[in-house]
Amino acid sequence: MAVSSVRCGLPVRSRALPPFTSYTNGVPPDRHPARAGRENSPMTTTPHPLVTRARRLADDLLAPCAQRVDQEEVPASHLDAVRRAGLLGVSAPEEYGGAGAPDAVAREVAEILAGACCSTWFVQTQHHTPVRMLTKAEAGTPVRERLLRPLATGELLSGIAYAHVRAFPRVPVRATAERGGWRFDGTVPWYTGWGLNDVMLLAGVTDGAEVVFAFTGAREKPGLRASPPMRLAALTAARTVSLDLDGLWVPEDRVVLRTPREEFARVDVPRSTNASPAVFGVARAALRLLDEAPGARDAARALRERLDEVRGRAYALAEHPVAHEHVAERLALRTRAYDLMRAATTAAVVAGGGRATGLDSPAQRLAREGMFLLVQGQTAPVREAHLAALAAL
């Protein structure tokens, strides 16, 4: 299997990727200047095969095309390349065709993809939540048996439409039991990957404050209408729309989870306090630009040392077995990671001078992607902690 042999229209040498079982220890990653700063992370002292695949995909396709994708849209061929590299099933169970990789590997893969092309990362990252939810569902659940394998292998790509549940007590999407299934009414404010996803994980809240998660096709049909793609300051390429739901009916056998809203919040809020790997990925990409800028290596070195220290502490907490412990420390590290990402992307712009404001400059793109990540996955506790940290500057 080989990563795409096209570099945004320019031919490049195709390189075969090793299968999961063929990796041998002792082979360091490439160390040429374009990859400076990609030393092995504290998470994996020897690159996992999926990390090797992600790096090659990033170097051969995603990073070379990132400027064009940013100004246009994520092509389906990018997501197909992610699938061929085995990255859509990074955490999926092996018995369903996934890689069953540790969370540390999934975080490192996410960093690499986000640093190479944040728009492509953002579309494919939606896919992993439905895979995790199906994996945790009880064996024999109809929708689990129907969808887990095609999602784990990447045969199908999923999006997510449930962030609005966090708005409770407002209920943007109402779920109502009807005719042996569920009726969904309301508005999904944000849905990413429209036109690229095959299915979506949709959630609504009942009158009894129960959250219903179900799968449905990601296409217009009776009861489901999409807005035109949104024009955003960053990641417009990810094809984000809003969805109007007017009596969308989903059969009961497509339901993967029903849970009290309080239980959803109990699990969701602590998880959202962890620092995002994408933040570290974009920051590292900006530091690589600094490495190449005249007179900027000292700044890059100082910022990298601080970033690595925060990253190590944040990921150690992410591995902690009790998600609701150390919440204050998790939030502090998340906001510190934001600070360092902002410093790194700003430094890349400063080092690039006037050239960095051109739309063909990676520095301005990374700065805008960093701005987007400040609010991506934001919950009320995260927003409050971030504003408090900014007020203390």
Side-chain angles (χ1 to χ4, degrees):
M1 179 176 63
V3 170
S4 171
S5 59
V6 175
R7 184 177 291 231
C8 282
L10 300 177
V12 297
R13 182 170 60 88
S14 178
R15 296 188 293 179
L17 294 177
F20 296 152
T21 56
S22 70
Y23 184 76
T24 55
N25 292 336
V27 181
D30 293 338
R31 303 294 293 182
H32 59 69
R35 295 170 189 162
R38 292 197 185 184
E39 61 282 347
N40 293 337
S41 75
M43 295 181 293
T44 53
T45 55
T46 300
H48 186 280
L50 289 180
V51 172
T52 300
R53 289 166 180 258
R55 285 177 175 158
R56 290 183 178 176
L57 177 63
D59 293 333
D60 287 354
L61 178 66
L62 301 186
C65 295
Q67 294 303 116
R68 191 180 76 181
V69 168
D70 175 64
Q71 294 302 306
E72 298 176 5
E73 59 184 22
V74 174
S77 57
H78 271 38
L79 300 169
D80 190 50
V82 174
R83 176 191 61 78
R84 292 197 310 273
L87 304 180
L88 290 177
V90 57
S91 300
E94 293 180 84
E95 60 268 30
Y96 282 84
D103 288 345
V105 171
R107 285 192 291 268
E108 194 163 5
V109 167
E111 280 192 23
I112 293 166
L113 299 184
C117 179
C118 202
S119 292
T120 299
W121 163 80
F122 192 50
V123 173
Q124 67 83 44
T125 202
Q126 316 293 312
H127 179 85
H128 300 292
T129 296
V131 171
R132 285 193 297 269
M133 189 171 288
L134 286 168
T135 299
K136 293 178 180 178
E138 184 178 349
T141 301
V143 73
R144 184 182 195 270
E145 301 310 314
R146 180 182 293 115
L147 288 180
L148 183 52
R149 179 171 293 277
L151 291 180
T153 61
E155 178 186 345
L156 296 179
L157 184 71
S158 183
I160 55 175
Y162 74 84
H164 50 271
V165 173
R166 295 169 178 150
F168 193 87
R170 286 195 306 109
V171 180
V173 175
R174 178 76 63 186
T176 307
E178 182 180 281
R179 294 183 291 116
W182 292 87
R183 172 183 173 130
F184 291 85
D185 294 278
T187 300
V188 175
W190 304 92
Y191 180 82
T192 293
W194 184 255
L196 294 168
N197 309 127
D198 300 295
V199 297
M200 73 171 78
L201 176 63
L202 171 65
V205 180
T206 69
D207 288 338
E210 181 181 47
V211 186
V212 179
F213 289 88
F215 284 90
T216 189
R219 62 187 182 279
E220 289 200 342
K221 52 189 171 182
L224 171 59
R225 184 168 53 88
S227 74
M230 298 180 187
R231 294 293 300 171
L232 305 172
L235 276 69
T236 288
R239 303 191 194 183
T240 296
V241 300
S242 62
L243 300 176
D244 179 49
L245 308 178
D246 184 11
L248 174 67
W249 184 80
V250 179
E252 180 68 38
D253 64 4
R254 301 298 172 89
V255 173
V256 64
L257 177 67
R258 291 171 57 183
T259 185
R261 205 282 314 174
E262 293 86 350
E263 177 63 16
F264 167 80
R266 189 189 70 81
V267 174
D268 179 66
V269 171
R271 182 175 52 206
S272 69
T273 61
N274 288 317
S276 167
V279 169
F280 298 113
V282 167
R284 284 178 168 235
L287 294 179
R288 287 195 289 276
L289 291 181
L290 274 190
D291 285 329
E292 299 167 0
R297 287 204 170 190
D298 287 345
R301 185 180 304 110
L303 286 170
R304 183 174 287 113
E305 288 176 357
R306 297 173 200 163
L307 186 73
D308 286 347
E309 188 267 337
V310 169
R311 178 175 177 267
R313 291 172 58 198
Y315 285 174
L317 280 178
E319 292 286 347
H320 193 278
V322 184
H324 60 267
E325 291 184 356
H326 307 288
V327 168
E329 186 178 359
R330 294 173 196 266
L331 284 170
L333 289 168
R334 179 169 177 140
T335 56
R336 182 59 175 156
Y338 286 150
D339 291 342
L340 290 166
M341 176 187 65
R342 190 172 64 249
T345 56
T346 300
V349 171
V350 170
R355 298 185 307 278
T357 63
L359 290 179
D360 59 347
S361 165
Q364 58 80 31
R365 172 177 56 81
L366 290 168
R368 289 186 291 107
E369 290 170 350
M371 176 189 67
F372 173 86
L373 292 176
L374 295 178
V375 296
Q376 186 258 329
Q378 185 188 69
T379 61
V382 169
R383 179 171 56 250
E384 292 164 6
H386 197 182
L387 288 173
L390 291 171
L393 290 178

